[in-house]
Amino acid sequence: MIEIKNVTKKYGNKIAVNNVSFNVNDGDIFAFIGHNGAGKTTLIKSIVGIHDFDSGEILINGKSIIKEPEECKKIMAFVPDNPVTYEHMKAIDYINFICDMYETDTKIREENIKKYAKIFEMEDKLNDTIDSYSHGMKQKVVLIAALAHNPQILIMDEPFVGLDPKAVFDVKKILNEMVKDNKIIFYSTHILDVAEKLCSRVAIIKDGNLVKSGSMKEIKGDKSLEKVFMELEEDK
Amino acid sequence: MRRLYSLIKACLTNDMSIFKINTKKKNKFSSLAPILISLYLMFMIWCSANTIFEKLKPFNLQYIVLSLSIISISAMTLIEGVYKSSALIFNCKDDILLLSLPIKKRTILFIRILKFYIFEFLFNSMFLLPFMIAYIRWGLNITWTYYLTCFTMLLLSPIIPIIVSCIIGIIIANISSYFKYKNLVQIIISMSLILGILFLSFNSETILNYIIKNATNINDLITKIYYPAGVFSSLVTNFKISELLLFILINIITFIISLFILSKFYFKINSRLKNVIVSKKNKNIKSLNIEKKSQTRALIKKELNTFFSTPVFIINAGFALVLFLILVVIISLKSDYIINLLVDKNTGLGISKNIINNNISIFVYILISLTAYMTSITNSSISLEGKNIQIIKSLPIKSKTILQSKILAPLIITTPIFIIGDLILIIKLKIKILEAILLLILSILIPLVSHYIGLIVNLKYPKFDWENTSEVVKQSMSSFIAVTIGMVLFIISYITITKFIGHISSISILIISIIAYIIIDIMLHIYIVTRGSKIFNKLNSY
């Protein structure tokens, strides 16, 4: 479970995230939506321990990301908005490196690497250096690395950007499988129709403030998620 | 013109941010340290310049020092430029952006060379300005023409070495672009060229004798050695506006013609360098190497991977190590000749043969110190993470483990080289077993200090938003401060060691040094795992 309690993050005088609180429960696929610069990436980076924050608390399965960062990170995987990797490495070396950091057992990583490399059609490409890849291929490598160590919580920032339609379909399938195992998926997105179909819960952030949070049904009612989002955007 | 101004402004704003003083920072010393260190260095150069001018005053030859300063700084720019230029002008991160804009390709190359020029201009000014200021006190007939000459020299002196090194850089890049292992080819050619230039400069007696024979006077002699230096001494002693204008014209025309010619090849080579040759082997998933390593081992492997895939990083760090091995070979082949040189009162230090024979291990120790302090690998290892700092910070590893891996990786690189060099010298110079063991211990402890200091400086002055690796390895505030600290530490340790020679035995000097270095290493280690980890946790590339 992820518990976000009264989190505030400032950049100088600018408040990027203002007193935000919500929970993400086990088995949730949670969509985190908002316009550009609303504070999504800032909050995500705070959850995964890249940023610190000025006040509040973030608990991962009851442990504080500030006080016990390693313990929290051990059960999480993060897919950033840009597929940042060590480009001079071979893809397989990069994936192995990430697995080493999570101390993943050889058997588990071997099974997962083979499984996800096959799904993303990357089996014959993992021995090449990442700098020879397209944006989408890099994103696939980042996804394979994130999934290879069997994370309990998967946190993604705009995961579908740059992926081909088949890969988007495959990712959605993988996420649904993970949720069946009671895992947590928390991701930010601008593709609202995918979020509407895929996610059980949603939070909408605007100018650093959480404006709505709840189950997908509660938030959108009879309307589409896009319509709800646009109405909130127009409420100045 | 307005478009060019906007482009220059956009490209340079990012780089020049390292010179901004962040007054919001709590620790104002950290912000002011680079300026204070630069001013201190300039003051030291100014003091040395005054001493030299004073000695030359009776002969009225002060102006020669100005010319020699131009020759020295130009040679340094050229040697550094040989390996820096290919990293600075090729494979820049903003290539995609700039090449997609409606800008002439020549303009893009101009921006790349301009960035190179600005950094060299600042670096050269730090060395030349103190000499120029000191000359005001010692020179004859200082008028406004002297200030005009100095200003012109400061502006134009980097141009010729930069152009020559850019031409060499483009040739190296062109050759390496045809190979699969581009980086390796680039490293071998650059290293050979630098060593070639050094070899030539130490063996240029024949050329110099020829020039001396054919020179009519001192100004003519300096002009024949290096044209800008000759013009400088000529303008300082006998100012002629026509000579100054001709010098300006020659520099500008050389720059424009070179830019025009280089731009003809630059983009073809740049795109060829981006071609990554995809492996045809191991296409089967079963052949993938999937093995588990400990966190520390995996991190060290990553660090070594970064090091060996960055040519400018290897050449920069490897230069002192290669020089060390060359010196080791020279010393072991010509040990008697070198000892005689040190003994000779006219050519050497005039040290008694007895002292040398009793303290031979101390001379090896000084050589190890010099190499270790010149080899600063860690001063850019945090910066080189770039945007990847996000990855590393999201992983379940302690910051101190990350920092320790950044210390251990360079130690793995430097230790074997020091051990090999040590063993050759130990056998050749017949150093006693106890002293040999102590030297081997020092070969680990001294580089460790250098690695710790480099890492601490980089933690204080990281630069994540770089366009190419050369910016962090050669031109960042972190590398400048770490190299300066290394130089100062070497001078301090050299003075301290030489003070003890002859007063206590060489074994005692080595044992005291080992104890001192163990204490320093422990203190630096504690700083890295406590305060250093906290600083690392706060780092962000945004």
Side-chain angles (χ1 to χ4, degrees):
Chain A
M1 184 184 187
I2 305 171
E3 293 165 79
I4 295 154
K5 296 179 178 175
N6 311 105
V7 171
T8 299
K9 167 78 184 168
K10 293 177 193 168
Y11 293 118
N13 294 328
K14 188 185 178 288
I15 300 173
V17 175
N18 187 19
N19 201 27
V20 168
S21 300
F22 62 89
N23 294 342
V24 187
N25 302 317
D26 292 352
D28 274 349
I29 301 187
F30 198 107
F32 190 40
I33 56 178
H35 59 83
N36 294 329
K40 300 187 297 294
T41 302
T42 302
L43 187 64
I44 284 179
K45 285 184 175 175
S46 300
I47 296 170
V48 295
I50 294 174
H51 277 166
D52 54 358
F53 39 91
D54 297 288
S55 61
E57 198 172 25
I58 295 175
L59 303 176
I60 309 293
N61 280 358
K63 290 174 182 166
S64 162
I65 188 72
I66 296 291
K67 290 173 190 155
E68 297 173 89
E70 288 86 39
E71 288 305 307
C72 294
K73 288 174 189 177
K74 262 180 194 165
I75 54 165
M76 286 197 283
F78 171 54
V79 177
D81 51 351
N82 261 317
V84 279
T85 55
Y86 291 101
E87 302 234 334
H88 51 266
M89 278 187 178
K90 283 180 183 177
I92 187 65
D93 291 340
Y94 174 75
I95 298 165
N96 258 319
F97 167 72
I98 298 291
C99 287
D100 285 333
M101 294 301 111
Y102 286 91
E103 296 171 310
T104 314
D105 189 66
T106 313
K107 205 180 159 200
I108 294 170
R109 76 171 77 174
E110 196 170 347
E111 271 175 25
N112 285 333
I113 292 171
K114 284 178 181 171
K115 176 183 163 187
Y116 294 114
K118 197 175 176 192
I119 291 173
F120 291 119
E121 296 169 331
M122 291 288 287
E123 296 152 287
D124 57 346
K125 296 174 187 82
L126 293 184
N127 259 326
D128 295 324
T129 50
I130 299 172
D131 55 8
S132 66
Y133 288 177
S134 67
H135 181 95
M137 286 162 80
K138 285 178 191 170
Q139 186 75 342
K140 285 177 182 177
V141 170
V142 172
L143 280 164
I144 296 171
L147 296 165
H149 55 88
N150 263 347
Q152 175 62 35
I153 301 170
L154 181 61
I155 296 178
M156 301 183 286
D157 196 0
E158 304 280 354
F160 301 118
V161 175
L163 291 178
D164 56 61
K166 186 191 172 291
V168 172
F169 176 79
D170 291 330
V171 172
K172 287 194 280 186
K173 209 170 141 191
I174 292 164
L175 298 186
N176 277 320
E177 275 172 20
M178 287 176 76
V179 166
K180 279 179 198 162
D181 293 338
N182 219 22
K183 291 180 176 177
I184 296 173
I185 317 292
F186 179 84
Y187 79 100
S188 74
T189 187
H190 291 297
I191 311 170
L192 299 184
D193 49 347
V194 173
E196 191 176 340
K197 284 173 195 157
L198 189 68
C199 300
S200 51
R201 296 185 64 214
V202 63
I204 301 171
I205 189 168
K206 188 181 171 188
D207 299 328
N209 296 296
L210 189 74
V211 285
K212 275 203 172 187
S213 166
S215 73
M216 188 61 78
K217 248 185 183 173
E218 282 167 16
I219 299 292
K220 72 181 188 78
D222 295 332
K223 300 171 194 165
S224 71
L225 184 60
E226 189 178 39
K227 194 161 175 55
V228 174
F229 182 76
M230 292 313 293
E231 280 172 5
L232 284 170
E233 278 300 295
E234 280 156 19
D235 286 344
K236 294 280 176 187
Chain B
M1 206 60 193
R2 192 185 157 82
R3 227 166 47 153
L4 180 67
Y5 170 73
S6 300
L7 186 64
I8 293 171
K9 195 179 156 196
C11 292
L12 295 183
T13 310
N14 191 26
D15 297 331
M16 293 302 131
S17 63
I18 57 169
F19 297 108
K20 280 183 194 165
I21 300 171
N22 189 353
T23 46
K24 280 179 190 168
K25 272 189 182 175
K26 282 174 193 166
N27 188 352
K28 284 194 176 171
F29 178 75
S30 295
S31 316
L32 287 171
I35 297 171
L36 293 175
I37 290 173
S38 307
L39 288 174
Y40 178 72
L41 267 179
M42 288 173 83
F43 174 72
M44 294 305 286
I45 297 166
W46 179 79
C47 290
S48 315
N50 274 309
T51 317
I52 302 167
F53 283 131
E54 192 179 4
K55 287 191 174 164
L56 288 171
K57 175 92 177 161
F59 312 102
N60 276 339
L61 287 171
Q62 302 93 302
Y63 63 94
I64 290 177
V65 180
L66 292 179
S67 303
L68 289 177
S69 65
I70 290 274
I71 294 175
S72 321
I73 202 72
S74 301
M76 269 172 74
T77 310
L78 177 68
I79 290 171
E80 284 216 332
V82 165
Y83 67 95
K84 224 161 61 172
S85 62
S86 50
L88 269 173
I89 54 182
F90 290 108
N91 272 334
C92 296
K93 279 188 184 169
D94 59 356
D95 270 354
I96 296 170
L97 171 70
L98 293 184
L99 286 167
S100 67
L101 297 175
I103 315 165
K104 277 185 184 154
K105 288 180 175 179
R106 207 179 304 141
T107 313
I108 299 174
L109 180 63
F110 169 73
I111 297 288
R112 303 263 181 266
I113 299 176
L114 183 71
K115 278 165 97 170
F116 189 7
Y117 166 81
I118 289 173
F119 278 100
E120 290 308 323
F121 166 73
L122 293 171
F123 181 72
N124 288 8
S125 300
M126 215 173 73
F127 284 87
L128 291 177
L129 260 177
F131 275 100
M132 290 169 172
I133 294 167
Y135 186 79
I136 297 169
R137 184 177 159 198
W138 299 98
L140 301 166
N141 307 322
I142 302 292
T143 58
W144 64 273
T145 59
Y146 173 73
Y147 299 105
L148 180 66
T149 307
C150 287
F151 179 70
T152 315
M153 277 297 155
L154 278 178
L155 279 178
L156 300 182
S157 67
I159 289 182
I160 292 176
I162 279 178
I163 285 172
V164 175
S165 51
C166 279
I167 293 170
I168 297 172
I170 284 186
I171 293 170
I172 295 172
N174 187 33
I175 297 169
S176 62
S177 68
Y178 287 105
F179 290 85
K180 182 182 174 187
Y181 299 104
K182 298 176 175 70
N183 289 350
L184 185 69
V185 176
Q186 213 167 316
I187 292 160
I188 293 169
I189 303 175
S190 306
M191 210 61 136
S192 315
L193 263 170
I194 294 166
L195 292 174
I197 294 171
L198 282 177
F199 179 78
L200 271 178
S201 56
F202 287 124
N203 293 278
S204 50
E205 270 179 53
T206 332
I207 307 165
L208 276 175
N209 284 337
Y210 176 79
I211 295 171
I212 291 165
K213 261 186 193 174
N214 292 288
T216 49
N217 54 40
I218 293 179
N219 275 351
D220 185 37
L221 173 70
I222 298 169
T223 311
K224 278 181 174 150
I225 293 170
Y226 186 55
Y227 167 70
V231 171
F232 193 17
S233 59
S234 170
L235 287 172
V236 167
T237 50
N238 183 21
F239 182 81
K240 283 182 201 147
I241 190 78
S242 57
E243 196 174 6
L244 182 78
L245 290 174
L246 181 70
F247 177 67
I248 296 171
L249 210 65
I250 287 173
N251 271 283
I252 292 172
I253 290 173
T254 312
F255 184 78
I256 292 169
I257 292 174
S258 309
L259 186 69
F260 186 78
I261 297 170
L262 290 177
S263 63
K264 295 270 171 213
F265 310 101
Y266 173 71
F267 292 94
K268 276 183 191 164
I269 302 167
N270 201 24
S271 62
R272 222 171 26 234
L273 279 172
K274 287 182 200 296
N275 293 341
V276 180
I277 298 169
V278 177
S279 72
K280 286 173 187 160
K281 289 182 278 178
N282 300 330
K283 289 289 182 190
N284 190 341
I285 193 142
K286 281 177 188 164
S287 63
L288 290 174
N289 182 20
I290 301 170
E291 55 161 343
K292 189 181 174 181
K293 284 185 285 297
S294 71
Q295 285 185 335
T296 311
R297 248 188 80 194
L299 282 166
I300 290 172
K301 193 186 167 197
K302 175 190 82 69
E303 288 300 321
L304 293 175
N305 206 316
T306 307
F307 180 80
F308 288 111
S309 61
T310 318
V312 69
F313 203 7
I314 300 178
I315 301 166
N316 191 49
F319 186 60
L321 295 171
V322 171
L323 267 184
F324 170 72
L325 287 178
I326 291 171
L327 277 172
V328 165
V329 173
I330 294 171
I331 292 168
S332 42
L333 291 175
K334 293 185 170 184
S335 56
D336 291 337
Y337 173 74
I338 289 165
I339 290 171
N340 285 335
L341 262 182
L342 290 171
V343 171
D344 196 312
K345 277 183 184 167
N346 297 319
T347 56
L349 299 169
I351 308 166
S352 92
K353 205 163 190 173
N354 203 21
I355 286 182
I356 294 175
N357 287 334
N358 290 334
N359 293 282
I360 202 84
S361 58
I362 302 301
F363 290 98
V364 177
Y365 166 31
I366 291 171
L367 182 63
I368 294 168
S369 303
L370 175 66
T371 314
Y373 287 123
M374 275 173 72
T375 311
S376 188
I377 299 175
T378 45
N379 67 46
S380 44
S381 63
I382 303 263
S383 301
L384 280 172
E385 290 284 345
K387 301 266 177 214
N388 292 341
I389 194 91
Q390 283 187 52
I391 307 173
I392 211 95
K393 287 186 78 177
S394 71
L395 298 173
I397 344 157
K398 286 189 168 70
S399 302
K400 68 174 185 183
T401 315
I402 300 167
L403 298 178
Q404 278 165 350
S405 74
K406 288 188 183 290
I407 293 292
L408 287 169
L411 207 59
I412 290 170
I413 298 164
T414 54
T415 307
I417 296 168
F418 277 112
I419 302 279
I420 292 167
D422 286 353
L423 289 175
I424 296 171
L425 290 175
I426 287 164
I427 295 164
K428 197 70 199 170
L429 301 173
K430 295 180 183 117
I431 294 171
K432 286 170 200 155
I433 185 83
L434 180 60
E435 287 172 80
I437 294 167
L438 297 175
L439 278 176
L440 289 171
I441 296 169
L442 279 168
S443 295
I444 297 169
L445 293 176
I446 309 173
L448 201 54
V449 171
S450 171
H451 300 329
Y452 275 126
I453 288 170
L455 193 62
I456 291 169
V457 174
N458 201 199
L459 277 167
K460 293 259 183 194
Y461 301 96
K463 179 177 166 66
F464 296 115
D465 48 350
W466 36 270
E467 296 298 339
N468 54 56
T469 47
S470 194
E471 275 178 32
V472 268
V473 176
K474 284 304 301 172
Q475 293 179 332
S476 64
M477 196 54 81
S478 173
S479 69
F480 167 69
I481 294 173
V483 168
T484 311
I485 292 175
M487 269 159 47
V488 172
L489 285 179
F490 170 70
I491 294 166
I492 293 169
S493 66
Y494 175 78
I495 293 168
T496 318
I497 296 162
T498 47
K499 284 260 182 250
F500 283 111
I501 292 179
H503 298 290
I504 55 172
S505 70
S506 55
I507 291 181
S508 305
I509 295 176
L510 293 175
I511 290 173
I512 293 168
S513 302
I514 285 178
I515 294 167
Y517 275 113
I518 287 174
I519 294 168
I520 295 169
D521 278 325
I522 290 172
M523 282 164 61
L524 291 171
H525 180 80
I526 292 169
Y527 182 88
I528 283 285
V529 297
T530 52
R531 182 98 184 93
S533 296
K534 281 182 189 162
I535 299 171
F536 183 82
N537 288 337
K538 288 194 184 300
L539 294 179
N540 219 314
S541 63
Y542 294 110

